[in-house]
Amino acid sequence: MTVESVKPRIPEVPGLCEPPLAGGAVPVLGHGLKMVRDPLAFMSALRDHGDVVRLKLGPKTVYAVTTPELTGALALSPDFKIDGPLWESLEGLLGKEGVATANGPRHRRQRRTIQPAFRLGAIPGYGPVMEEEAHRLTTRWQPGETIDCTSESFRVAVRIAARCLLRGDFMDERAERLSIDLATVFRGMYRRMVIPLGPLYRLPFPANREFNRALADLHLLVDEIVAERRASGQKPDDLLTALLEAKDDNGAPIGEQEIHDQVVAIVTPGSETVASTIMWLLQVLAEHPEHAEKVRTEVESVTGGRPVGFAHVRSLTHTNNVVVEAMRLRPAVWILTRRAVTDTALGGYRIPAGADIVYSPYAIQRDGRSYDHHLDFDPDRWLPERAKEVPKHAMSPFSVGNRKCPSDHFSMAQLSLITAAISAKYRFEQVSGSDDTTRVGITLRPHNLLLRAMPW
Ligand code: HEM
């Protein structure tokens, strides 16, 4: 992660002390090398050093929060906002005026604009598109064929987000373009965050050219989508209409840049996170044939052998639990950051204004202090009688508080439906050349998952 130099001023508040420095820092680089080399192991080990610990990332001090309770307190406290190196890098590439990076009154107004499209009652309206896309996947795949899970997962995630939220016939071709652009942009963005080589990324190397082309096409696509909707004169009841009709705090229409950045800010996190989770679901179905079989049997008993539909999802208990358990062990969003807006406290420790704070849903959701057999894939731990034993905030893949993902219902519905539709038709096995080890990027996903789809 990019680091910048800050000298935190530690406020002197009686009864509060400075968090301990996590062990293992080396001169000059501090914990930086460990964080770059194996960030998941590094973040997962931090709780052994304290509930809140200081990290040295080069010259910079960063605070890490390691317990479920304190990550909840952090996400719910008004003393912290979205900011810091991760967000600054995202803003530079994706725009400054979208909901994912805004704070304060603008953020509240933007959330009010987008929220209706994601409310629980709106989700059944997306059911037909989700069904069509889930079944389209199973008909695209031929029995025995090798599936490139990265491109297939990206494609379906982008198509569902684009078709449901930005509706329009033109979406099919655009959704394909979006999925290719986004895959390239996310790869390049992560590289730029972890290895901040600044001007070197402007040199005309093939990788830089490919990144710049994809980023430019992403912005162009969004402009085209907005312009075409306007030219059509239509105002369907969807997210794009809500964005186009939104007013600022003075009742004036919001600017073109904000509309543009808003569309980018919704489509980009929406596709990468869902795509990564679909990849892990496919990996889980291949690795745990007993659960794949259990999902298939459940789907068959709920649907009576008919194609699974949106209306069946709420009855698919085991399928839903497979999705949740996959998200526990492989959360797409594995690291989150905040910045203290004031001198404040967390867990009895002093946190100075301006401090950057990190925490890892990956580390929290795999902690043996919160889960028995914490590394086992065990969907039944989400059965109601066992789920109530899970500590509060130990499973928050969508976060909590005012930055909570607006799309939790939207995402869960499509993930369960896709899992059900593909499991009803196929079982999966990895083929040679497949690499399901974890690739750490802006999200977590398998390096290169290649599966053979076998009819049952
Ligand atoms: C925010 C996770 C899918 C749009 C977030 C945050 C998390 C998250 C953890 C909070 C970030 C923070 O606290 O700093 C996920 C996961 C998903 C998913 C795990 C799927 C498996 C989606 C989808 C969309 C979306 C499908 C849109 C189509 C957003 C937006 C925000 C956000 C706009 C920013 C909210 C704000 O700052 O107010 N997501 N997300 N997400 N997500 Fe998602």
Side-chain angles (χ1 to χ4, degrees):
M1 202 140 303
T2 323
V3 292
E4 1 143 26
S5 188
V6 288
K7 290 195 179 61
R9 187 181 57 78
I10 306 295
E12 290 303 330
V13 180
L16 293 181
C17 54
E18 191 179 29
L21 184 69
V26 298
V28 184
L29 293 176
H31 302 93
L33 211 54
K34 286 196 166 76
M35 183 67 182
V36 169
R37 275 206 187 127
D38 192 348
L40 299 178
F42 177 68
M43 292 302 293
S44 299
L46 286 180
R47 194 169 174 186
D48 295 336
H49 301 251
D51 295 355
V52 182
V53 292
R54 277 178 302 129
L55 306 178
K56 292 277 180 202
L57 299 181
K60 185 182 167 86
T61 298
V62 170
Y63 296 74
V65 175
T66 66
T67 68
E69 190 192 343
L70 290 181
T71 56
L74 174 69
L76 292 166
S77 164
D79 290 350
F80 303 95
K81 64 172 185 171
I82 289 273
D83 211 336
L86 177 67
W87 301 105
E88 281 150 18
S89 319
L90 290 178
E91 274 183 357
L93 296 167
L94 299 179
K96 294 185 191 334
E97 298 188 25
V99 63
T101 46
N103 279 298
R106 182 203 284 267
H107 175 254
R108 282 195 289 280
R109 167 171 65 70
Q110 292 183 330
R111 283 295 293 233
R112 278 199 300 275
T113 302
I114 67 170
Q115 208 64 44
F118 292 104
R119 70 182 203 284
L120 190 55
I123 307 304
Y126 305 128
V129 170
M130 290 182 180
E131 281 170 18
E132 199 183 309
E133 290 297 337
H135 290 294
R136 187 194 289 237
L137 262 190
T138 68
T139 49
R140 275 172 62 82
W141 301 342
Q142 298 306 311
E145 184 195 19
T146 296
I147 301 164
D148 176 345
C149 297
T150 311
S151 56
E152 289 298 292
S153 303
F154 245 105
R155 180 182 293 109
V156 68
V158 171
R159 288 179 65 90
I160 291 180
R163 290 188 62 203
C164 290
L165 303 171
L166 310 175
R167 252 181 261 177
D169 293 339
F170 54 84
M171 267 310 155
D172 285 5
E173 176 265 333
R174 297 257 164 80
E176 298 291 326
R177 250 171 87 196
L178 260 177
S179 70
I180 295 165
D181 288 345
L182 285 174
T184 310
V185 166
F186 276 112
R187 201 170 44 241
M189 272 169 47
Y190 185 67
R191 204 169 297 147
R192 281 158 178 74
M193 274 190 266
V194 183
I195 316 171
L197 298 178
L200 286 188
Y201 287 116
R202 288 201 283 277
L203 296 176
F205 297 134
N208 292 347
R209 279 209 299 267
E210 190 194 17
F211 174 82
N212 289 334
R213 223 181 358 250
L215 187 62
D217 194 49
L218 174 66
H219 288 295
L220 178 68
L221 257 168
V222 168
D223 285 339
E224 286 173 12
I225 289 167
V226 171
E228 259 173 53
R229 172 63 67 85
R230 283 216 169 100
S232 77
Q234 291 176 358
K235 295 183 178 177
D237 180 17
D238 70 357
L239 182 61
L240 186 51
T241 302
L243 294 174
L244 293 173
E245 305 262 287
K247 302 274 190 290
D248 68 16
D249 289 335
N250 302 318
I254 61 171
E256 286 305 304
Q257 189 63 49
E258 182 172 334
I259 292 173
H260 176 98
D261 290 358
Q262 278 281 68
V263 176
V264 176
I266 289 158
V267 170
T268 42
S271 347
E272 170 86 6
T273 48
V274 172
S276 304
T277 309
I278 295 171
M279 289 175 225
W280 286 122
L281 282 163
L282 284 159
Q283 191 269 349
V284 154
L285 293 171
E287 192 180 345
H288 301 280
E290 70 287 8
H291 288 296
E293 168 68 35
K294 213 169 155 185
V295 169
R296 182 186 78 91
T297 326
E298 180 179 70
V299 174
E300 201 172 276
S301 82
V302 167
T303 63
R306 290 187 303 280
V308 60
F310 179 85
H312 298 122
V313 166
R314 64 167 59 184
S315 309
L316 297 171
T317 311
H318 189 70
T319 310
N320 290 323
N321 290 346
V322 164
V323 175
V324 176
E325 182 67 347
M327 291 174 75
R328 179 181 77 84
L329 286 171
R330 309 282 185 194
V333 179
W334 65 279
I335 191 154
L336 289 168
T337 70
R338 292 288 186 272
R339 184 169 283 170
V341 289
T342 177
D343 290 344
T344 183
L346 256 186
Y349 291 109
R350 279 195 296 271
I351 308 287
D356 283 329
I357 299 120
V358 294
Y359 73 96
S360 169
Y362 176 94
I364 297 283
Q365 291 169 196
R366 288 175 158 242
D367 192 335
R369 281 155 279 211
S370 299
Y371 295 96
D372 289 338
H373 304 288
H374 55 293
L375 299 182
D376 289 358
F377 182 79
D378 176 11
D380 290 344
R381 70 171 85 243
W382 300 108
L383 290 169
E385 64 279 11
R386 288 179 62 196
K388 62 178 192 284
E389 304 300 325
V390 175
K392 200 166 177 194
H393 303 304
M395 180 63 193
S396 291
F398 296 102
S399 192
V400 291
N402 66 341
R403 313 305 302 218
K404 174 173 173 288
C405 181
S407 168
D408 47 353
H409 303 304
F410 181 78
S411 303
M412 291 309 291
Q414 61 176 302
L415 290 167
S416 292
L417 190 53
I418 289 170
T419 306
I422 60 179
S423 305
K425 196 156 170 195
Y426 297 114
R427 61 194 172 83
F428 300 94
E429 54 185 38
Q430 285 203 57
V431 299
S432 89
S434 175
D435 178 358
D436 67 350
T437 54
T438 305
R439 170 186 168 284
V440 182
I442 290 180
T443 60
L444 293 186
R445 64 157 102 142
H447 269 108
N448 181 25
L449 186 65
L450 302 173
L451 296 182
R452 186 170 295 122
M454 315 284 283
W456 285 101

